[in-house]
Amino acid sequence: MECSVCDLRGAVQACSYCHAQICEVCGVTCQRCGKPVCPTHVYKTHSGKMLCLDCQEERKAKRERLRAKAEHDEAADFDETLRPDSHDSGLSEDEALLGSVRKPPPPWKLSLYAGVVGLVAVLVLLVAPGLRQVPLPGGIFLPTPYFLLVIPGAALVWGLIGLLNEEYKEDTARCVAGLVLAVASILLMVVAVATDPSRRAAQEAADAQLVRNKMTPQQLNNWRNEKLERYRQ
Ligand SMILES: [Zn+2]
Ligand SMILES: [Zn+2]
Ligand SMILES: [Zn+2]
């Protein structure tokens, strides 16, 4: 049988699609699956590859899939740069939004912090008695601890809020710790005021003045002479 394409050579095979008889020269073997095809049912790729129609369809579909995947990956990359937090932590967008709204610190935390600060402040006062007085205009000195009482006072309030609030029930121990620190600081501040050396000196001077006021003129005279004697020596 003659080749249906050239009508010159004898046909050696039939096209897989139209079953036309084709010779060795006119026929093409698909370079992918090896099927024989006629010139009508062959597809020549850009790189010069000869493919049957099935292989061309498959190749086209595969290319579409790859392109879609690449576009998807690109989109995913884009998303990742836009929302790194929600992507990394696996949180939903809503959860990420909720997380970004800072919660106020719980009362036990405030109480503990203020308690520690108050305690440190009063310990500094105990170590350095010179800091226990604040000079005010008019020559008045006020005990520093009176001002610093605000700090353990705040610790006390926060600790009580935490204790009395049902919401912080599991933090009771921490609230109590804050309260203990607050009470300790307050007690130590009272001690700091009571043992202030400058205050004691003032008290002694006042006592001496009181004693002198009670003296008779004769006794006062003696006292003065005594002082002068001591000064001369
Ligand atoms: Zn032929
Ligand atoms: Zn054909
Ligand atoms: Zn093929």
mmCIF file of all heavy atoms in Angstrom, residues 30 33 35 52 55, ligand 3:
data_model
loop_
_atom_site.group_PDB
_atom_site.id
_atom_site.type_symbol
_atom_site.label_atom_id
_atom_site.label_comp_id
_atom_site.label_asym_id
_atom_site.label_seq_id
_atom_site.Cartn_x
_atom_site.Cartn_y
_atom_site.Cartn_z
ATOM 1 N N CYS A 30 6.360 9.806 17.661
ATOM 2 C CA CYS A 30 6.316 10.726 18.827
ATOM 3 C C CYS A 30 7.559 10.516 19.670
ATOM 4 O O CYS A 30 7.906 9.384 20.025
ATOM 5 C CB CYS A 30 5.062 10.467 19.654
ATOM 6 S SG CYS A 30 5.069 11.369 21.222
ATOM 7 N N CYS A 33 6.199 9.179 23.438
ATOM 8 C CA CYS A 33 5.621 7.847 23.672
ATOM 9 C C CYS A 33 5.959 6.845 22.552
ATOM 10 O O CYS A 33 5.709 5.654 22.689
ATOM 11 C CB CYS A 33 4.114 7.935 23.848
ATOM 12 S SG CYS A 33 3.259 8.427 22.345
ATOM 13 N N LYS A 35 4.621 6.659 19.538
ATOM 14 C CA LYS A 35 3.509 6.335 18.645
ATOM 15 C C LYS A 35 3.777 6.905 17.241
ATOM 16 O O LYS A 35 4.293 8.012 17.125
ATOM 17 C CB LYS A 35 2.213 6.956 19.190
ATOM 18 C CG LYS A 35 1.429 6.004 20.061
ATOM 19 C CD LYS A 35 -0.005 6.440 20.320
ATOM 20 C CE LYS A 35 -0.151 7.846 20.832
ATOM 21 N NZ LYS A 35 -1.300 7.978 21.769
ATOM 22 N N CYS A 52 3.084 13.451 19.552
ATOM 23 C CA CYS A 52 1.729 13.106 19.124
ATOM 24 C C CYS A 52 0.749 14.028 19.834
ATOM 25 O O CYS A 52 1.131 14.734 20.774
ATOM 26 C CB CYS A 52 1.434 11.638 19.436
ATOM 27 S SG CYS A 52 1.217 11.303 21.186
ATOM 28 N N CYS A 55 0.384 13.397 23.665
ATOM 29 C CA CYS A 55 1.520 13.866 24.464
ATOM 30 C C CYS A 55 1.545 15.386 24.529
ATOM 31 O O CYS A 55 1.914 15.964 25.560
ATOM 32 C CB CYS A 55 2.825 13.330 23.877
ATOM 33 S SG CYS A 55 3.027 11.580 24.203
HETATM 34 ZN ZN ZN B 3 3.099 10.566 22.028
#
